Amino acid sequence: MIYGAKVVMSGHVVEIYEYERDIKTGKDNKDGSKSVGRAGKGANEEDREKNREIVLSRAKREVRRLINSNVDAWDEKPKFFTLTFAENVTDIKWANNEFKKFRQRLSRHIWGCPNNLKYVAVIEFQKRGAVHYHVVAFNMPYVPHADLERIWGHGFVHIRAIDNCDNVGAYVTKYMTKDCDDERLREQKCYFSSRGLAKPVEEIIEKEDLDALRVALSPNKTFEKEFKSEYVGKVSYQQYNLKRRL
């Protein structure tokens, strides 16, 4: 496939990308360009730093789009809370297993079965090294704070209000740091999500249709920038929020 522009729709947030040079994917990609992965042991510090930025940017983009695709997709208002360990828990595999058991207990508490919760969770490390989780639950009804802490069973649950936030995905991703490429997370994801979530929709758009789309969306534009890409040259990017008018 060859294309020069695309639209990404994540719920009420719309993103437009226009590329100076066409993007080639699949069989059309003759130059062998590949996405950048984790930097290997032989990489220098500059390469590792660049890789950390790429990994973090990609993870933030995925989380932001996934959250915004689901904030209005369920019957409940989304709930945002942070799970912390009272003890200095640094064992990620153990912590992740405890998080899994928590969401299963929470689902049983609400619905009587273990896998009904629709959520996105981001893992992060406190300064002391302890693991904690930022969680957005999309279909969770009101649960008293005391019940949440009892169901968690490992420490504190901090609940954050997002009632007046029109870009929940961006709000949550500000809590994501360079931990996404931390050695402690090697071969593990820096975020989790449940099955059955609504996914962002990507569509190719002809360049001649771009101006009309931009005009139609212009009252809702919240951000725009241009940047250079090694593979496609100049990239023109705009973001629109259908819940917001400038």
Side-chain angles (χ1 to χ4, degrees):
M1 178 184 296
I2 302 175
Y3 63 93
K6 72 175 181 180
V7 178
V8 183
M9 293 165 285
S10 308
H12 57 274
V13 177
V14 180
E15 299 168 90
I16 296 178
Y17 293 83
E18 183 179 8
Y19 308 101
E20 183 178 18
R21 297 194 295 271
D22 287 344
I23 288 182
K24 301 176 182 180
T25 62
K27 295 180 179 179
D28 292 314
N29 186 8
K30 305 299 184 183
D31 62 3
S33 301
K34 295 181 179 180
S35 60
V36 179
R38 292 182 185 272
K41 291 183 178 179
N44 59 35
E45 184 56 35
E46 183 179 352
D47 290 338
R48 286 194 291 269
E49 180 64 23
K50 180 179 179 181
N51 185 76
R52 279 193 289 268
E53 293 176 358
I54 292 171
V55 170
L56 176 61
S57 177
R58 181 187 300 130
K60 281 187 171 183
R61 183 172 62 245
E62 290 173 355
V63 169
R64 172 174 53 80
R65 289 175 177 172
L66 190 57
I67 290 174
N68 285 335
S69 295
N70 284 275
V71 291
D72 295 322
W74 307 89
D75 291 335
E76 298 287 343
K77 289 184 178 179
K79 314 295 190 300
F80 180 39
F81 52 92
T82 301
L83 305 172
T84 62
F85 289 93
E87 302 296 328
N88 190 25
V89 174
T90 58
D91 186 326
I92 296 173
K93 289 185 178 180
W94 186 86
N96 287 347
N97 190 51
E98 292 306 303
F99 173 76
K100 176 181 177 181
K101 290 190 285 188
F102 160 74
R103 62 174 177 77
Q104 290 176 336
R105 289 194 299 268
L106 181 59
S107 287
R108 288 193 185 98
H109 175 79
I110 298 171
W111 297 286
C113 53
N115 295 308
N116 274 18
L117 186 68
K118 303 301 180 186
Y119 70 93
V120 171
V122 173
I123 185 172
E124 196 177 25
F125 300 101
Q126 295 174 310
K127 289 183 179 180
R128 59 178 176 152
V131 174
H132 63 281
Y133 300 92
H134 301 295
V135 185
V136 181
F138 303 108
N139 65 334
M140 188 179 87
Y142 170 75
V143 176
H145 183 250
D147 288 348
L148 273 179
E149 288 199 332
R150 174 180 56 79
I151 295 167
W152 170 231
H154 291 292
F156 301 106
V157 178
H158 302 278
I159 301 174
R160 301 177 186 271
I162 53 175
D163 291 342
N164 297 320
C165 180
D166 60 16
N167 193 328
V168 179
Y171 180 82
V172 174
T173 55
K174 74 179 184 180
Y175 292 95
M176 297 175 70
T177 67
K178 291 186 178 181
D179 293 339
C180 282
D181 198 44
D182 194 293
E183 288 293 326
R184 292 169 289 186
L185 288 174
R186 185 166 293 278
E187 298 182 358
Q188 300 187 62
K189 294 193 69 173
C190 63
Y191 72 91
F192 312 95
S193 59
S194 56
R195 295 181 180 179
L197 292 179
K199 298 295 194 298
V201 177
E202 293 193 15
E203 292 187 358
I204 306 305
I205 183 171
E206 298 295 333
K207 287 193 174 184
E208 53 265 30
D209 297 326
L210 276 176
D211 288 341
L213 180 60
R214 286 173 175 144
V215 170
L217 292 173
S218 60
N220 305 95
K221 183 160 63 177
T222 56
F223 180 73
E224 66 179 329
K225 68 176 180 178
E226 288 188 351
F227 57 93
K228 286 284 189 178
S229 166
E230 179 180 354
Y231 300 111
V232 296
K234 185 176 69 175
V235 181
S236 175
Y237 172 84
Q238 296 89 37
Q239 185 179 119
Y240 305 85
N241 190 324
L242 302 183
K243 287 187 175 181
R244 188 188 308 177
R245 297 179 71 89
L246 296 182

